[in-house]
Amino acid sequence: MRDAWWGDRGWRRWLVGAVAALVLAGCADGGDDGGDGAPPPATVAELDPCELLTAGDQADLRLRVSDRAEEGHRRSCSFVTTNVLDDPSRSGISGLELVLRDSAAPNRVADAPRLAETYQRERDAEVTTTTVEGRTVLQVGPSTLPVGCRLLFQVNATSSLEAAPRGGGQDCGFPDLTRLLAATLPAPDSEAPRADHDRPVDVLGLDPCQLVPQDRQVALRLGKGTVSAEVTRSCRYHTGATAPGELSLVSITLWTSGAATGADDGGQPTHVVNERTAYETRDDTRCAYRLEVTAATSVEISSVVLEPGDGETACRTTAGLAADIEPGLPLIAT
């Protein structure tokens, strides 16, 4: 009887031990829920900017998601503060925009150092370099509006994260936000930025009368360009046309303020010229393409024909000129 009882108890001990071993093994494997043991994303392409801050992080920073947008290489998420609801006097971040850039296009800037250089060159912004979680972070600012304070997180030569917080003082110091974001990104890559292929660096240094290739000037009978600086820097070519529908005027203009869209509603047609976005405006006699360079600069190519009714001819001329001019423009940094 005793041997039978011990045998039964031994069997029960073995069964309990086996179940426990299976439970422990499941925990060691991380289970099926992906949990905290899941590997970090390998590339920026796998990230959602609205999920870089967890629900707990957003609560701690008193932020909530308000909007998201996606435009090819650029994905963004906007956050607004919840302080108004609980404590209007509390100091902190009053708003935040996170922008992920991921592009290998040969004429586009997507790495943090060159984006910082653009802010420094065109907006006179201060740039400070620090290291957080083993990652290079460039702090842009303090600076005058509309730059404010920005944090640029380097990932590799073709991708980066930009954080644009508002509020929190005038010194651009956001240590909690910087630490949280630095820990969510893929491992940094030390790959050097690609060569610029002899492109000019600064749109402000361009000569608009040197942008149209000589063979194109001859083909369109443009003659000698006339420089103008009445409102913006531009170069105008008169063809001397006399017949209705003929090309009469071409102008190349450097815009150094405002958005590249060149319109308040931003609803005009867009084209892609050598992987650069061109925003079109037209009427019965005129067609213009505005080529983006940075958030504050662009180059506009405009063609005008004599008498209304043949705007399509003007647009064909503008499209051809845009394709010729684009390789001579700076890298895109938007």
Side-chain angles (χ1 to χ4, degrees):
M1 177 68 69
R2 181 175 179 178
D3 290 342
W5 184 85
W6 276 104
D8 180 59
R9 185 170 65 175
W11 167 253
R12 284 183 294 169
R13 285 178 174 175
W14 178 88
L15 181 62
V16 170
V19 172
L22 288 173
V23 171
L24 290 174
C27 292
D29 290 339
D32 294 330
D33 59 2
D36 295 333
T43 67
V44 169
E46 300 175 37
L47 297 177
D48 182 340
C50 288
E51 296 179 0
L52 290 177
L53 295 174
T54 65
D57 294 338
Q58 293 179 41
D60 291 342
L61 295 172
R62 297 174 181 260
L63 297 171
R64 65 175 176 82
V65 174
S66 66
D67 194 18
R68 67 167 70 220
E70 182 169 353
E71 183 187 353
H73 73 289
R74 175 186 169 119
R75 305 190 306 282
S76 64
C77 185
S78 298
F79 299 79
V80 295
T81 184
T82 61
N83 283 350
V84 175
L85 303 178
D86 46 35
D87 186 358
S89 65
R90 180 184 174 91
S91 63
I93 301 175
S94 60
L96 171 68
E97 183 183 29
L98 299 179
V99 179
L100 288 167
R101 292 178 174 88
D102 184 22
S103 175
N107 59 359
R108 185 175 294 279
V109 173
D111 60 293
R114 287 196 294 187
L115 286 168
E117 290 173 4
T118 300
Y119 282 119
Q120 191 174 37
R121 181 176 61 248
E122 297 186 2
R123 307 293 185 86
D124 295 324
E126 298 179 19
V127 176
T128 305
T129 303
T130 59
T131 301
V132 180
E133 301 285 341
R135 182 184 308 279
T136 298
V137 181
L138 297 108
Q139 175 184 294
V140 178
S143 179
T144 57
L145 293 175
V147 175
C149 296
R150 295 172 187 265
L151 303 168
L152 300 172
F153 298 79
Q154 174 71 343
V155 179
N156 56 39
T158 60
S159 58
S160 63
L161 169 68
E162 177 174 354
R166 299 189 299 274
Q170 300 300 315
D171 61 351
C172 292
F174 299 91
D176 292 342
L177 175 66
T178 305
R179 176 180 50 79
L180 290 171
L181 292 175
T184 63
L185 298 174
D189 186 347
S190 59
E191 179 185 357
R194 299 181 313 277
D196 292 349
H197 304 294
D198 299 323
R199 284 181 179 265
V201 174
D202 186 1
V203 68
L204 303 180
L206 296 176
D207 181 346
C209 285
Q210 298 296 321
L211 291 177
V212 180
Q214 187 66 35
D215 58 346
R216 176 66 70 167
Q217 293 182 36
V218 172
L220 295 176
R221 297 179 296 174
L222 296 184
K224 184 178 181 181
T226 303
V227 178
S228 172
E230 296 173 0
V231 179
T232 57
R233 292 174 56 209
S234 66
C235 186
R236 298 173 182 173
Y237 298 89
H238 295 272
T239 65
T242 57
E246 287 187 348
L247 180 68
S248 65
L249 173 68
V250 167
S251 64
I252 314 298
T253 304
L254 307 181
W255 291 95
T256 55
S257 63
T261 56
D264 294 335
D265 59 6
Q268 70 272 48
T270 60
H271 307 272
V272 178
V273 180
N274 299 342
E275 299 188 68
R276 188 185 301 261
T277 301
Y279 299 88
E280 176 195 301
T281 56
R282 69 157 79 183
D283 56 32
D284 288 341
T285 59
R286 177 181 179 273
C287 182
Y289 278 18
R290 198 153 171 167
L291 301 175
E292 64 174 348
V293 179
T294 71
T297 60
S298 59
V299 175
E300 182 181 74
I301 300 102
S302 175
S303 303
V304 179
V305 295
L306 286 179
E307 298 190 12
D310 200 9
E312 190 59 41
T313 296
C315 278
R316 286 197 295 270
T317 301
T318 296
L321 284 167
D324 286 340
I325 288 174
E326 194 285 328
L329 300 184
L331 296 172
I332 312 163
T334 57

